[in-house]
Amino acid sequence: MRFPLTRDARCPFDPPAELRGLPAMSRMEFADGHLGWLATTAEAARAVLADPRFSARRELKHAPVRFTTPGGTGRPAPPGFFGAMDPPEHTRYRRLLTGQFTLRRMRLLEPRIERIAADHLDAMAAAGPPVDLVSAYALPIPSMVICELLGVPYADHEFFQSRSLQLVTLGGDVAGATADLAGYLGELVRRKRAEPADDLISGLIGDLTDEELANVAMLLLVAGHETTANMLALGVLALLERGIAYEEGLVEELLRWLSILQFGAPTRAAREDVEVAGVLVRAGETVAMSLPMINRDPGVFEDPDALDPRREEARRHLSFGHGVHQCLGQQLARVELRIGYGALFERFPRLRLAVPAGEVPLKRDSAVFGVACLPVAWD
């Protein structure tokens, strides 16, 4: 089988229909003809992601779909792109960054995130309905937060948002966007080396080279706003389309139910022969993950296709990954989503879609599932 590129046509929130009923590990032909595997259950995914015999190194892996990565496929990750590295290289970067994203530090950011959300809600109210929730609210909040954390001027948000979009879009100008961001962030790093400030980039100047710092900043900048922005808007669409009132416990359930990472991410390459879920993965074979299927695993979640506000086991989702590569910014994302959803529905309790749900344009060609825009109104 080939990896399907769309969600279920009948319900875009659901996994692709072609993946229903597959075994835990299924043979899959990758975009370059490589014959690898697709993991579709939580048990199989955890086994692969936690096993050091599986590598995250880009030069060892095959891509499930035709998607150009920075630096080109088949090449080692450039310095600083620690998400495509294994220990000990990955460990060195991770250790430098982990302290910046602890739950305690993220909670200290709550007042600032609340202020950013309130300011954008004030602007929405002043503009009056209808408004595009993506551009007015969902995208600015995580963009401003990650800019302040890193020390990137938010005034340049149109520049880095447009390049970030190219990086996660199938057929996007990945090489051009990467070069633009590398040049921009490289110059920013040089300025901060001359005049350090109270931000993450400045704090790492003594530990990393300019190239490493620019690439680390690129990873954090792109991941720090693309994923959360799409989760905010897509989650609102899901709640409004289904008529479900927001409550705080819904954050984890929305993360599980929406599973916005698409196209087999994450992937791992077997360093040696490894048995997973009763099948033998040979050395050199790549395993892709279907997060939408994994997070709907009936062996973990009762009635998995239901969006259940009271689901107790929702936190068992793998939307932030598992193992040593588990998402560094997951606590920040949780805080932003909790505040973002809560403030929006408190301010506009009668929020509604301004167009039929079927007319909302979805990002089907993006590695991060979401909506291109979300027209909303309120009474």
Side-chain angles (χ1 to χ4, degrees):
M1 61 168 278
R2 285 286 189 101
F3 197 89
L5 298 186
T6 59
R7 303 267 176 144
D8 194 312
R10 297 163 298 178
C11 177
F13 302 115
D14 290 346
E18 300 94 316
L19 301 184
R20 297 283 187 177
L22 291 178
M25 294 285 286
S26 299
R27 272 297 190 187
M28 188 177 80
E29 183 182 353
F30 286 56
D32 60 0
H34 172 73
L35 192 60
W37 298 90
L38 179 69
T40 62
T41 68
E43 183 179 9
R46 288 179 185 275
V48 171
L49 294 173
D51 193 329
R53 292 175 294 178
F54 285 96
S55 174
R57 286 165 54 189
R58 189 175 62 199
E59 71 272 23
L60 302 181
K61 301 189 298 181
H62 296 261
V65 299
R66 296 201 179 279
F67 204 102
T68 306
T69 54
T73 57
R75 301 179 184 176
F81 280 94
F82 61 94
M85 297 177 180
D86 292 333
E89 293 83 5
H90 169 266
T91 308
R92 180 173 74 90
Y93 291 110
R94 184 89 180 196
R95 187 176 292 126
L96 288 171
L97 292 165
T98 297
Q100 304 291 330
F101 291 93
T102 62
L103 179 58
R104 184 185 70 83
R105 287 200 174 203
M106 296 307 101
R107 284 178 173 164
L108 292 175
L109 287 174
E110 288 188 15
R112 178 57 184 150
I113 298 172
E114 289 169 351
R115 182 69 264 161
I116 292 171
D119 288 345
H120 284 83
L121 291 171
D122 288 345
M124 284 174 56
V131 300
D132 170 24
L133 193 73
V134 173
S135 59
Y137 189 72
L139 186 54
I141 292 175
S143 295
M144 290 188 73
V145 172
I146 196 63
C147 279
E148 292 185 8
L149 274 175
L150 292 175
V152 174
Y154 182 69
D156 298 329
H157 67 276
E158 291 185 1
F159 167 83
F160 67 74
Q161 285 171 356
S162 66
R163 272 61 174 186
S164 297
L165 187 61
Q166 291 294 314
L167 291 180
V168 300
T169 301
L170 289 177
D173 182 12
V174 174
T178 301
D180 287 350
L181 285 171
Y184 169 80
L185 291 167
E187 176 57 32
L188 181 64
V189 167
R190 286 188 286 274
R191 294 204 308 267
K192 289 185 178 295
R193 191 175 289 278
E195 298 182 24
D198 184 19
D199 54 55
L200 190 149
I201 293 177
S202 297
L204 293 175
I205 282 176
D207 300 300
L208 300 174
T209 67
D210 284 6
E211 182 183 13
E212 288 176 311
L213 255 178
N215 287 337
V216 165
M218 189 187 309
L219 279 178
L220 298 178
L221 182 63
V222 174
H225 79 273
E226 273 289 340
T227 50
T228 306
N230 281 286
M231 265 301 305
L232 271 173
L234 194 63
V236 171
L237 172 62
L239 296 176
L240 296 181
E241 192 264 343
R242 275 167 165 62
I244 297 176
Y246 173 75
E247 45 190 280
E248 189 168 308
L250 262 171
V251 168
E252 298 298 330
E253 176 68 346
L254 286 169
L255 285 164
R256 178 197 75 85
W257 196 71
L258 293 171
S259 300
I260 62 173
L261 290 186
Q262 303 195 106
F263 306 149
T267 56
R268 295 290 185 268
R271 297 172 178 270
E272 59 187 79
D273 292 357
V274 186
E275 185 174 317
V276 179
V279 304
L280 185 63
V281 180
R282 296 286 186 183
E285 292 181 340
T286 296
V287 179
M289 314 276 167
S290 173
L291 284 181
M293 285 296 299
I294 290 163
N295 285 339
R296 303 283 185 96
D297 185 345
V300 178
F301 306 102
E302 184 179 353
D303 192 12
D305 289 331
L307 178 57
D308 184 357
R310 306 299 167 85
R311 186 182 298 277
E312 294 182 358
E313 74 275 20
R315 287 188 73 98
R316 296 173 67 185
H317 66 76
L318 293 183
S319 295
F320 291 119
H322 181 66
V324 298
H325 282 276
Q326 193 171 37
C327 177
L328 185 67
Q330 61 179 293
Q331 302 303 344
L332 174 60
R334 285 185 166 107
V335 170
E336 290 173 329
L337 292 170
R338 175 171 53 80
I339 292 173
Y341 288 133
L344 175 67
F345 285 105
E346 181 179 358
R347 183 67 172 271
F348 301 117
R350 300 186 68 177
L351 191 74
R352 56 182 170 82
L353 295 175
V355 298
E359 295 181 10
V360 176
L362 299 171
K363 292 182 177 179
R364 297 184 183 274
D365 62 347
S366 172
V368 184
F369 186 51
V371 295
C373 65
L374 185 63
V376 295
W378 53 89
D379 299 324

